[in-house]
Structures are given as C-alpha cells and as structure tokens.
Amino acid sequence: MISRRGLLLLSVMCGAGVLWSAGLIIALAAGARPFDAAIAVGVAAFLTVPGFAAGILSNRRGYRTQQPRRAWRLASWVPPHVPHWAAIAAGVVVFGFWLTVVLAFASLDGNPSMRDGRYVLEDHDRVIEVNQVTYERQTDHQQQISLGVLGAFAVGGAFLCTARATDHEHH
C-alpha cells in the first residue's frame, strides 16, 4: 500500500499534469507551440500516469471493490468521505478536457505527414496536399487530443490519490 505522503505527492504530480496539459492546450488553441509535441505529451504522461494508476489501485484495495456485489460501485470512484462539491468540480474539469478532445477530433481532416518534402493529409485512401499552416494546425489538433486525454486522467489521479490520502477511517 502506498503511504499517505506518497499518495499526496502523486496527487500533486497529477495536479501539475492538469495545469501542464491545460496550459499547453490553451497555447495550442492560441496558435503557439511552446514545446515539441513529444516533450509536451511525454511530460504530461510522466506527471499523470503514476498517480492515476496509484489512485485506481489504492481506491480499489482500500474500499474492497475488486469484487463488488453490483457490477459497478460508486465507492470505486468517489469515496464516501469526499465532499460532493469536490466530486462535482473534478467532473467539470474532466468534462472540459473531454470537450477539448471532441472538438480537436472534429477539427481533424486527416493524418498530417510529409511526403517527398510536401505537407499532406492522409484520410483512408485519400492524400491531399496542404500548406504548412494547415499541416501544423492538424498536428496541433493531434497534440490537443493527447493532452486532453492525459489531462482528464490527471484530474482523476489527483482526485483519487487525494481522496485515499485524506480518508482517515479506512487508511
């Protein structure tokens, strides 16, 4: 079992993942690219994945939800001691990241790539040549999708790790 201090550290890392992902999504939407996509998404994953995994595992173990009586138990996701406002706030932020993913998907016109020094979008069997601005915008949408998914997971990780670390009855 992870210590309370470890869970709080992972929660802080996930919180940083939320801010990192949200900040980069806003920058990309404004047309700025402060970091290469691999660095931006890699840092988001580094900040998010450990805390999300620890949050899921510690809540499942802590609330014995491995074999629930019903197919799904709310205690797996919102432990009993967590205030409703905190669960609602986390849900609203997750919805914001989800909306970002949906809007970015809707804006994709194909998979951007380079062919013979030309910018193209590949969509199934179609290959359309585009200018550099269109190519970069499409790569920005792909990065927004990755950051949106990781941002939503970061919210979940921060929420679950904090919830487990602050549960004084079951810890």
Side-chain angles (χ1 to χ4, degrees):
M1 199 57 112
I2 300 173
S3 71
R4 217 173 252 166
R5 187 172 287 159
L7 286 169
L8 289 174
L9 173 65
L10 289 168
S11 182
V12 167
M13 285 177 63
C14 282
V18 170
L19 295 175
W20 175 265
S21 296
L24 290 176
I25 288 168
I26 291 167
L28 288 167
R33 290 173 203 86
F35 298 98
D36 180 64
I39 292 170
V41 173
V43 169
F46 171 79
L47 293 170
T48 299
V49 173
F52 182 76
I56 294 288
L57 293 174
S58 66
N59 276 279
R60 286 183 61 82
R61 286 187 184 137
Y63 297 108
R64 307 274 184 247
T65 58
Q66 296 94 332
Q67 298 174 347
R69 290 185 193 111
R70 290 173 290 182
W72 184 80
R73 281 189 59 187
L74 189 59
S76 302
W77 306 105
V78 183
H81 74 284
V82 174
H84 292 297
W85 65 264
I88 291 169
V92 167
V93 177
V94 167
F95 177 78
F97 280 115
W98 175 82
L99 187 59
T100 296
V101 171
V102 169
L103 293 174
F105 261 122
S107 299
L108 281 177
D109 293 325
N111 187 32
S113 63
M114 296 285 294
R115 281 200 179 168
D116 302 321
R118 298 177 302 140
Y119 299 105
V120 298
L121 297 178
E122 299 175 35
D123 187 24
H124 302 290
D125 292 334
R126 285 185 339 184
V127 177
I128 303 165
E129 187 170 350
V130 295
N131 61 24
Q132 184 176 356
V133 172
T134 302
Y135 169 84
E136 288 174 352
R137 193 75 207 128
Q138 293 296 301
T139 59
D140 289 350
H141 292 317
Q142 287 182 330
Q143 187 176 346
Q144 285 173 317
I145 291 166
S146 298
L147 291 169
V149 169
L150 286 166
F153 280 122
V155 173
F159 180 81
L160 292 172
C161 285
T162 301
R164 189 68 188 134
T166 59
D167 187 356
H168 301 294
E169 289 180 24
H170 292 96
H171 202 32

